[in-house]
Amino acid sequence: MPEETIFSKIIRQEIPADIVYQDDLVTAFRDINAQAPTHILIIPNKHIPTANDIGEEDEPILGRIFTVAAKIAKEAGIAEDGYRLIMNCNTHGGQEVYHIHLHLLGGRPLGPMLSR
Ligand code: DGP
């Protein structure tokens, strides 16, 4: 298992972050470099480096990540208009932090999914 990242320190609240939700399986906090009015990262408390490392034993965690994303979107008032959920994987996916995270982006029309 590769080294833990800065996200493990955020989970343990050893460094500051704007945490909007935390339970036994997941933590959600505002992205430091917001790309939209609402930009929240939902991450597992367990260190899973990339989407390639998700195992069957992690299915409850992944389910929780998505139910928490939906709950946060509703609370943020963006559920009806809509939003985008993204998980980047490895270099071609543009992953910068090797602790899986689901980006929740919304609060404005986000346009086409990929820039051309
Ligand atoms: P990705 O490219 O998918 O690995 O996205 C990583 C995101 O993590 C990026 O949008 C910026 C965010 N990020 C990186 N370091 C920190 C941090 O220390 N605090 C917070 N809140 N967000 C961070």
Side-chain angles (χ1 to χ4, degrees):
M1 182 68 70
E3 296 276 309
E4 67 177 29
T5 73
I6 198 162
F7 286 1
S8 292
K9 292 188 169 64
I10 289 176
I11 293 163
R12 296 194 296 264
Q13 302 190 22
E14 293 171 359
I15 61 167
D18 189 354
I19 293 175
V20 298
Y21 180 90
Q22 188 165 46
D23 65 22
D24 57 322
L25 294 181
V26 308
T27 300
F29 53 94
R30 291 188 195 284
D31 194 295
I32 204 167
N33 184 23
Q35 303 295 311
T38 297
H39 188 171
I40 290 168
L41 304 175
I42 304 109
I43 73 174
N45 295 339
K46 172 185 174 184
H47 180 216
I48 303 171
T50 79
N52 291 329
D53 303 303
I54 297 168
E56 284 182 17
E57 70 279 12
D58 300 319
E59 287 172 3
I61 297 174
L62 271 292
R64 184 72 59 85
I65 283 174
F66 278 90
T67 55
V68 167
K71 173 182 156 66
I72 291 171
K74 285 191 195 96
E75 287 173 359
I78 61 172
E80 289 306 314
D81 282 341
Y83 52 92
R84 184 168 292 157
L85 299 172
I86 301 173
M87 184 177 288
N88 297 321
C89 180
N90 277 341
T91 51
H92 280 199
Q95 185 173 3
E96 294 172 351
V97 180
Y98 282 78
H99 181 133
I100 61 166
H101 44 281
L102 190 67
H103 293 259
L104 165 60
L105 296 140
R108 65 168 171 80
L110 295 168
M113 191 171 71
L114 297 173
S115 56
R116 295 184 171 80

